[in-house]
Amino acid sequence: MSYRHPEAAEHLMFSQRYGYESLPQPMKMKELSPDLRREIWNIVRDNLLKNRKFGAASYYFPQDFTRVIERILGSLLKKPEDEIPTGYDEVLSLFKKIIFQDRFDRLLSLIELIVNNDSWHSEFHQKIAELFDFHAAAYWLEISQLPYHFFPRSSMEQGKAVQHALKTIDEGNMPGASVHLRKATEHINTQQYASSISNSILAVESVARTIDPTAEKTLAPALKSLEKAGMINHPALKATFLKLYGYTNDEQGIRHALLDKDSAEVGLDEAMFMFGACTSFAAYLVNKHQQMKQQHDGN
């Protein structure tokens, strides 16, 4: 189950909370939000403070921990370990600079080096994993077994495809679908995954009702209208769409079997899958609807 703070929405900006940013956070590859970096620094700093000692009117790190710092930063910075500064203030300053100013990949590399070093606090890796889930970051930390590694939740190609689909829906004059997809994005960003799935499905229904007003309960009338207009020529394609939509909508499907139960059963992965699938599906229906109108206007 993903970590969710009861005030999860508070760390997001207005545009993120209300879906005016087109992509959910997990699809924003090569990015780590300022809030996530800030909280990473807080956890790293807390661990550094736990390892410090006080003597001769100043703080310092004991020799065994300075060796840990030398190994971690030496590997990250590609420098000889004896060239890594180990003074208390220098270490804090260097870690802070990397966390707040360095490229996303260097920061992820730093965290991997830390979580795979047993000299750090035993709960550090768990806190980091929960933090990346809490911020719905584009990367997640696998901690089921050593060595721990980051993996992407999505891909640049998937993000571009979804952006193109969202643009298609907006330009296709489908305001209802656009509103539902913005809400789905908002709910992903605030860890309300069941609500995100519900709005993703509602976006498809909204497009279906535009194509055929009788499609209030199911997608079948809209697909039948497209089939009659020659927009869906292969029976197997139509059957595939109906099966996908039926899975999300029937009594044993996502909407009823998951959404009507404890929302904890629905995670980020399920919400992201349904957001991508429903966005692409809705964009497909918009394209076919536009082709159908052009065909009708030309006759």
Side-chain angles (χ1 to χ4, degrees), residues 265-296:
E265 296 187 24
V266 181
L268 176 59
D269 292 336
E270 290 81 6
M272 287 297 296
F273 170 77
M274 289 306 300
F275 178 81
C278 289
T279 300
S280 299
F281 194 6
Y284 173 87
L285 293 175
V286 169
N287 275 326
K288 290 302 181 182
H289 177 54
Q290 290 176 332
Q291 293 174 27
M292 184 171 66
K293 286 176 62 179
Q294 290 170 3
Q295 185 184 74
H296 179 268

Side-chain angles (χ1 to χ4, degrees), residues 190-240:
T190 55
Q191 295 83 51
Q192 299 175 69
Y193 302 126
S195 296
S196 176
I197 290 176
S198 180
N199 274 280
S200 293
I201 296 170
L202 287 171
V204 177
E205 292 178 344
S206 179
V207 175
R209 284 195 297 271
T210 299
I211 294 172
D212 192 320
T214 64
E216 184 176 353
K217 297 295 183 182
T218 70
L219 185 66
L223 292 180
K224 187 174 181 180
S225 295
L226 291 173
E227 188 177 32
K228 284 177 63 178
M231 297 295 108
I232 300 180
N233 297 317
H234 201 293
L237 183 61
K238 176 185 174 184
T240 299

Side-chain angles (χ1 to χ4, degrees), residues 113-266:
L113 288 166
I114 293 174
V115 297
N116 288 297
N117 189 297
D118 57 12
S119 296
W120 285 66
H121 195 274
S122 59
E123 295 180 358
F124 181 84
H125 65 282
Q126 183 66 43
K127 289 180 178 178
I128 288 291
E130 291 175 349
L131 194 58
F132 273 71
D133 284 345
F134 172 70
H135 285 269
Y139 305 89
W140 61 283
L141 182 64
E142 167 56 50
I143 58 172
S144 61
Q145 61 181 8
L146 287 168
Y148 305 142
H149 291 298
F150 279 104
F151 294 95
R153 296 189 192 273
S154 183
S155 68
M156 294 294 289
E157 291 75 17
Q158 184 179 0
K160 289 178 181 177
V162 170
Q163 278 187 319
H164 179 73
L166 289 167
K167 183 179 179 182
T168 297
I169 294 166
D170 284 336
E171 293 178 349
N173 193 27
M174 298 284 178
S178 296
V179 168
H180 285 303
L181 290 172
R182 284 201 299 270
K183 287 182 179 179
T185 297
E186 167 200 340
H187 291 312
I188 287 176
N189 289 342
T190 55
Q191 295 83 51
Q192 299 175 69
Y193 302 126
S195 296
S196 176
I197 290 176
S198 180
N199 274 280
S200 293
I201 296 170
L202 287 171
V204 177
E205 292 178 344
S206 179
V207 175
R209 284 195 297 271
T210 299
I211 294 172
D212 192 320
T214 64
E216 184 176 353
K217 297 295 183 182
T218 70
L219 185 66
L223 292 180
K224 187 174 181 180
S225 295
L226 291 173
E227 188 177 32
K228 284 177 63 178
M231 297 295 108
I232 300 180
N233 297 317
H234 201 293
L237 183 61
K238 176 185 174 184
T240 299
F241 288 148
L242 287 172
K243 286 178 181 178
L244 172 63
Y245 189 75
Y247 171 65
T248 69
N249 203 46
D250 67 18
E251 291 185 358
Q252 300 303 316
I254 287 179
R255 174 172 290 175
H256 296 282
L258 292 180
L259 303 187
D260 291 346
K261 294 182 179 181
D262 187 344
S263 62
E265 296 187 24
V266 181

